[in-house]
Amino acid sequence: MNSRRVLWSALGAVALVAVIGGAWIFSLPPAPSSEAPPAIAQDERDATIAALKPPKRQRPLIAIIGINDATETTDYLMPYGVLTRADVADVVTLATRPGPVTLYPTLKVEPQATIAEFDAQHPDGADYVIVPAMSRDNDPVALQWIRDQSAKKAIIVGVCAGAKVVGDAGLLHGKRATTHWYSVKEMRGKHPTMRYVEDRRLVVDNGVATTTGVTASMPMSLALIEAIAGRDKANAVGRDIGLANWDTRHESDAFKFTRPFALTAIGNTAAFWAHEQLGIELKDGVDEVSLALVTDAWSRTFRSQAVTFASAAGAQQSKNGIRIYPDQVAASWPAERLLPSVGNRKPAEALDNALNGIAARYGTHTTDFVAMQLEYPRHRVTQ
């Protein structure tokens, strides 16, 4: 009798959880908005660019900071790759301590300096400090260094959930800001004086800039190039990376926690027997932005993890000088789990191609799920 009672109690608890879970899922909105965002007025656009003008040097110094154990892949590598190819500033990737930086959800890279080495070489600080999303928003070493750089009049740029790090550094008090859609509620709760701005991929206020999710670092980088070297240069780089038409407009209502998003996350996670490891060959000269976008996208499906492989364990040097370590040493990869090389694809095109590949392999719901995490405007996914 006691065992039967325990069994029925367990079944009742499972049923209760299922009912509560089902009610929660069906309480979520069925689909996000898909309307095109309105154009940005010229005076607002001009004011944004003016607020990003280099504060110190004619040829600015741009530092991208990461913590060694977990910094977001695209947030860290995309600004570096885009800004370096523009050749309008000196750009350096940093880490809080010696050793490689493990990026998430994929890749491991060698930073070009530690923050201590940077400080010794540049005691007057950077012109711009780019702050990616990090696994810990409150890393004390990173926070203090960001505060110090702000005190030295560097413009601080929080990319994606890197805005949470900037906020924890105490730099968003009373300022207009944005962040990844998933972090908006948390940011508002932790920083009640911050004024959240909708429908903008980039917001600048008094020496601090913030962006929406992951892929917003592409137009953010182009805006910095325009502030440094003019619109023509920014447009030229935009065409080079496959983003001929760009600005900071955004449709915030298109990015939210929806019923399809939740169901895809649950379904893909539950199908553990179908999870797979997909390989992409790491070669010298690879475009670090394209590689970051492709491996980031494929590692967000909740069905797959993208790993790099090479015939030797040593780091390979990217197109613009980043040393990337392969995840595995292998001469080849099974053809059915081999991702196409990024080749000479422009970064934006490489991402679109990856999303098309995800749709072909896992379906359009998973593609939408990945694009939502990357906060990638839907109209580009369907091109």
Side-chain angles (χ1 to χ4, degrees), residues 76-78 80-82 84-85 93 107-110 112 282-292 314-325 342-343:
Y76 192 74
L77 292 180
M78 177 132 68
Y80 175 85
V82 175
T84 300
R85 76 180 63 208
T93 57
L107 302 183
K108 179 184 287 188
V109 302
E110 184 178 299
Q112 294 166 328
L282 181 62
K283 299 179 181 178
D284 268 337
V286 66
D287 186 296
E288 62 283 312
V289 180
S290 295
L291 181 67
Q316 305 287 313
Q317 185 158 298
S318 74
K319 178 178 180 179
N320 292 296
I322 291 291
R323 289 173 54 80
I324 306 172
Y325 294 94
V342 297

Side-chain angles (χ1 to χ4, degrees), residues 56 123-126 129 143-156 171 207:
K56 302 178 186 179
D124 53 343
V129 171
L143 294 182
Q144 187 57 55
W145 189 80
I146 293 166
R147 291 187 198 104
D148 291 345
Q149 289 294 312
S150 177
K152 294 175 182 178
K153 305 304 181 185
I155 294 175
I156 308 298
L171 301 181

Side-chain angles (χ1 to χ4, degrees), residues 183-192 194:
S183 301
V184 171
K185 184 177 180 180
E186 178 186 353
M187 286 278 289
R188 282 174 152 171
K190 289 182 70 175
H191 309 290
M194 180 199 81

Side-chain angles (χ1 to χ4, degrees), residues 173-243:
H173 180 68
K175 289 188 172 70
R176 299 163 60 252
T178 188
T179 188
H180 189 285
W181 64 267
Y182 190 81
S183 301
V184 171
K185 184 177 180 180
E186 178 186 353
M187 286 278 289
R188 282 174 152 171
K190 289 182 70 175
H191 309 290
T193 67
M194 180 199 81
R195 292 170 288 158
Y196 170 64
V197 179
E198 295 184 333
D199 299 330
R200 294 294 181 268
R201 299 190 87 186
L202 171 67
V203 176
V204 189
D205 190 348
N206 194 25
V208 177
T210 49
T211 81
T212 56
V214 187
T215 56
S217 60
M218 194 177 293
M220 179 278 294
S221 299
L222 293 173
L224 281 186
I225 293 167
E226 180 176 358
I228 296 166
R231 182 71 179 181
D232 289 345
K233 181 64 175 180
N235 284 340
V237 176
R239 290 190 296 270
D240 185 51
I241 64 174
L243 204 66

